[in-house]
Amino acid sequence: IKNNPESATALHNHRHNMNALKVEWKIGSKGKLKRYAEMQDLWDEFAANPSLDGFGDLNNLQDGWNTSVYMDGEALSREIVIKRKDITVPLAVQNIPSSYLDPAYRGNDPYKTRNGITFENNAPAIYHFDQNIEAVDFRYRNPSDIRYNSAHFQKIDVPADEVIHIFDRIYGPGQWRGIPMGSAGLLNTYGLEDLIDALNQRQISAQAIHWLVTRQANAPGAASTIGQKVTFTDKATKKEKVIFKNTGGSTQYANPGEIVTQFQGASLGAEVVDLIKLLQRRKARASGTTYEKMTGDLSSVNMSSLQQLELDLKTYAEFWYEFILIPRGLRPLCNKFQEFAVLYGKS
C-alpha cells in the first residue's frame, strides 16, 4: 500500500469517505431524551485529547482506527487508567500496532490460547501483547527483528475488557483476527505492476532496430565489416566469440555472400489500455473503492452513474459505522468512559 500509487489512493479515499462520528450524551426515557450536560462536558474534555500519546482528538483517533483496519485488517487499543492534566476522567487510549499481538502465540495452554488471545467460555479473556507496549526505546518497534527485540518473547497480559479490538468478521464464527481490506487486491496489484513493467520494456525494445548478418557456407570474400568488431570470451563455453556493434546514423555495406535480416519489435496495441483498465477495476473492487475514485478517470462517467457511485460509497460508509466502528470501537470506549465518569467525575 505504501509504495503502490493505486493502493495508496484507495486508502486515501477510504479515509476521506469514513468521516469521524461525534458522540452526544443524552438522558431520559425513550422519546423524551434531553442533553446530558454534565456527562457531555466531561466527554468533550476527554474527546479533545483521548490518546495516551497526545496525538490529536477523537477525530484523529477514529481516523487511526480506520487506517489500521484498512492496512492491517484490525485496530487494537488499550484503555488505560491514568491521571492527566486538565482531564477530569482518568482514562486514556493507547493505540497498539497489530504486530504486537503475535498470531502464533499459544501460551501455556494452546487449547485456550490462539492468535495471541486466551479464551474463557469461548470469549476473549486475556490479550497477550508483546512487552513493547510498555517500552520507551523505539528500537523495539520492529517485532520481527529478534536481535533488537528480546521483549518480543515477553508478554503483557491485558484483560479483554480493557482492549478495543476493531475488525470485520468476514469469515464467520471463530475469526478473531482481521484481514487487511486491500489483501484481496494484492494479486491484481502484483500482476498489474508486472504487466506494466513488461509493456514498458517491450515499448523500449520497439524503438530499436536489430539486424542479423549471416554468411553462406564457403562464400567468397572477407569477413563481415558491418559495425565495429568486438572479440570476447564466453564465460560459459570458454570459447572466443566475435560480434559487430554499430550506432545509428551510419551507412554499412555487406560483403558478397552475406545476408542482412532486419528486425524491429512491434509497438503496443490499443487493446493493452483496455486490459490495464480491466485489471484496475478488479483491483478497485477488491480494495473497497471504485475505479473512478482510485484512478481519477471520469471519462466514462455521467451524472447518473456519478450519483450511483456516491450512493454506493454512502451505503458502504453506513455499513462501516453500524457494524464495525460503533459496536467494536466507540461503544466500548463510551461504556468505559461512563463507568469512570461516575466514579471520578462530577456526575
Side-chain angles (χ1 to χ4, degrees):
I1 291 178
K2 296 178 180 178
N3 299 324
N4 181 268
E6 287 86 4
S7 297
T9 301
L11 171 60
H12 175 80
N13 290 329
H14 173 78
R15 294 175 59 197
H16 280 219
N17 291 329
M18 303 303 158
N19 295 323
L21 299 180
K22 182 179 179 181
V23 176
E24 294 183 353
W25 292 86
K26 295 184 178 181
I27 191 172
S29 59
K30 187 176 181 181
K32 298 181 180 180
L33 296 175
K34 64 178 182 180
R35 185 176 184 271
Y36 195 173
E38 295 84 0
M39 185 69 78
Q40 189 68 55
D41 291 342
L42 291 173
W43 174 262
D44 292 342
E45 183 183 75
F46 167 79
N49 183 20
S51 298
L52 183 65
D53 60 5
F55 182 77
D57 57 13
L58 186 64
N59 293 339
N60 298 109
L61 177 62
Q62 294 180 65
D63 179 58
W65 285 346
N66 291 337
T67 301
S68 295
V69 173
Y70 190 94
M71 295 186 64
D72 302 329
E74 58 191 350
L76 287 160
S77 295
R78 178 186 181 189
E79 298 165 322
I80 295 180
V81 180
I82 182 173
K83 183 64 178 178
R84 295 185 292 165
K85 184 179 179 180
D86 299 327
I87 299 179
T88 304
V89 177
L91 178 66
V93 179
Q94 179 190 19
N95 293 315
I96 302 174
S98 62
S99 57
Y100 286 0
L101 187 63
D102 187 357
Y105 182 73
R106 304 299 295 271
N108 298 324
D109 189 349
Y111 295 100
K112 288 187 175 182
T113 303
R114 57 186 183 274
N115 296 316
I117 306 171
T118 295
F119 292 79
E120 293 289 347
N121 299 321
N122 296 319
I126 300 175
Y127 280 74
H128 305 279
F129 291 107
D130 296 342
Q131 193 174 352
N132 300 337
I133 66 173
E134 302 289 355
V136 178
D137 193 336
F138 279 89
R139 59 183 183 165
Y140 292 145
R141 296 290 287 184
N142 183 2
S144 63
D145 194 337
I146 300 175
R147 294 173 301 171
Y148 300 101
N149 191 20
S150 59
H152 179 53
F153 299 101
Q154 303 172 17
K155 303 300 178 184
I156 296 294
D157 297 340
V158 180
D161 62 357
E162 298 178 8
V163 176
I164 296 175
H165 191 183
I166 306 172
F167 67 97
D168 187 6
R169 178 180 275 185
I170 59 178
Y171 293 124
Q175 178 191 340
W176 283 102
R177 298 300 300 268
I179 308 297
M181 296 178 67
S183 61
L186 282 179
L187 292 180
N188 284 327
T189 299
Y190 296 147
L192 182 59
E193 290 181 343
D194 291 343
L195 174 63
I196 292 177
D197 289 342
L199 292 176
N200 285 336
Q201 291 300 320
R202 179 177 173 182
Q203 190 68 12
I204 293 174
S205 299
Q207 309 306 313
I209 298 176
H210 312 271
W211 36 259
L212 175 66
V213 179
T214 58
R215 182 180 176 85
Q216 297 177 351
N218 301 321
S224 176
T225 58
I226 297 180
Q228 178 185 359
K229 181 178 179 180
V230 178
T231 303
F232 68 99
T233 301
D234 191 328
K235 294 182 179 180
T237 63
K238 307 299 182 182
K239 293 183 178 180
E240 186 178 85
K241 290 189 175 182
V242 177
I243 62 173
F244 294 88
K245 298 174 62 177
N246 195 18
T247 58
S250 58
T251 302
Q252 303 293 334
Y253 299 94
N255 291 321
E258 293 180 337
I259 301 175
V260 180
T261 305
Q262 179 177 301
F263 301 91
Q264 184 173 13
S267 183
L268 302 177
E271 68 278 0
V272 172
V273 177
D274 294 330
L275 175 60
I276 292 178
K277 285 186 176 182
L278 174 62
L279 293 176
Q280 287 179 327
R281 290 182 185 278
R282 294 178 60 184
K283 176 182 174 181
R285 288 196 297 269
S287 301
T289 185
T290 64
Y291 166 80
E292 291 77 13
K293 281 279 189 179
M294 186 178 73
T295 63
D297 181 8
L298 302 178
S299 58
S300 60
V301 175
N302 54 36
M303 182 58 68
S304 297
S305 58
L306 185 60
Q307 289 176 339
Q308 184 59 50
L309 289 173
E310 293 300 324
L311 286 175
D312 291 342
L313 291 173
K314 180 182 178 181
T315 301
Y316 176 76
E318 290 175 347
F319 168 84
W320 174 265
Y321 297 141
E322 194 70 23
F323 291 93
I324 301 175
L325 182 63
I326 293 176
R328 299 292 302 176
L330 288 177
R331 185 172 295 133
L333 178 61
C334 288
N335 290 340
K336 183 68 70 173
F337 176 84
Q338 183 179 23
E339 175 185 341
F340 280 40
V342 171
L343 293 175
Y344 299 97
K346 304 172 184 178
S347 174

